[in-house]
Amino acid sequence: LGFGDPAGRPVMWMQSSYGFWRLPRAAEADLARRRLRVLVPFRAGWCGSDPVAQECDPFEVAVADLRALMGQLRIASAVVVAPGDDIRIALMLAQAAPDRVQAIFGIASGFPIRTDAQYRRLIPRPARDHRPPWA
């Protein structure tokens, strides 16, 4: 999904498990006026796409998809907006491809998260299901 100025500076707006990927029309118009190109990459399993395979780590798939999308769209680097739990994907992207991430803005994100175990304690899941709640 894209909105704002198609020729503007790129902003990767993470999908979020909250569903905040569409902004009010006035906000979208303001982003265009500020010459920002906002791209919302939908993760596997959303919006009619194929789900992540059970044997794959959904976070790693999301990072690989972001890198592929940025390459396909010829986006050398971008600011990343990460609502909620998507902060983890944004941080993983910055670690995997530091040259691709100019800055990360977390909205309602949990900090500090340094390990996978800390993250998983935030959202209790049945022992047999290790996937995040949106997978």
Side-chain angles (χ1 to χ4, degrees):
L1 172 68
F3 52 88
D5 180 352
R9 293 171 294 164
V11 174
M12 301 300 287
W13 191 290
M14 305 298 293
Q15 174 186 345
S16 101
S17 52
Y18 302 138
F20 296 141
W21 56 78
R22 274 321 298 224
L23 300 178
R25 287 184 184 171
E28 290 185 13
D30 187 56
L31 291 167
R33 185 181 55 75
R34 294 172 188 262
R35 298 192 35 89
L36 296 173
R37 176 187 184 192
V38 180
L39 300 161
V40 183
F42 291 105
R43 289 192 302 273
W46 289 75
C47 300
S49 64
D50 291 336
V52 174
Q54 284 289 94
E55 65 275 5
C56 295
D57 180 324
F59 294 110
E60 291 175 8
V61 170
V63 170
D65 286 350
L66 281 167
R67 293 176 76 179
L69 179 65
M70 291 177 82
Q72 181 181 2
L73 296 176
R74 294 187 171 96
I75 296 172
S77 65
V79 169
V80 179
V81 177
D85 296 337
D86 278 19
I87 191 69
R88 181 158 182 211
I89 297 169
L91 293 170
M92 287 176 68
L93 175 64
Q95 186 174 28
D99 55 322
R100 293 256 192 216
V101 178
Q102 294 174 9
I104 297 172
F105 291 91
I107 302 171
S109 303
F111 286 106
I113 296 175
R114 296 183 186 160
T115 68
D116 186 60
Q118 289 172 326
Y119 179 81
R120 292 192 186 282
R121 282 195 301 266
L122 293 174
I123 304 171
R125 302 285 292 179
R128 68 184 191 297
D129 188 358
H130 299 289
R131 297 181 318 152
W134 59 82

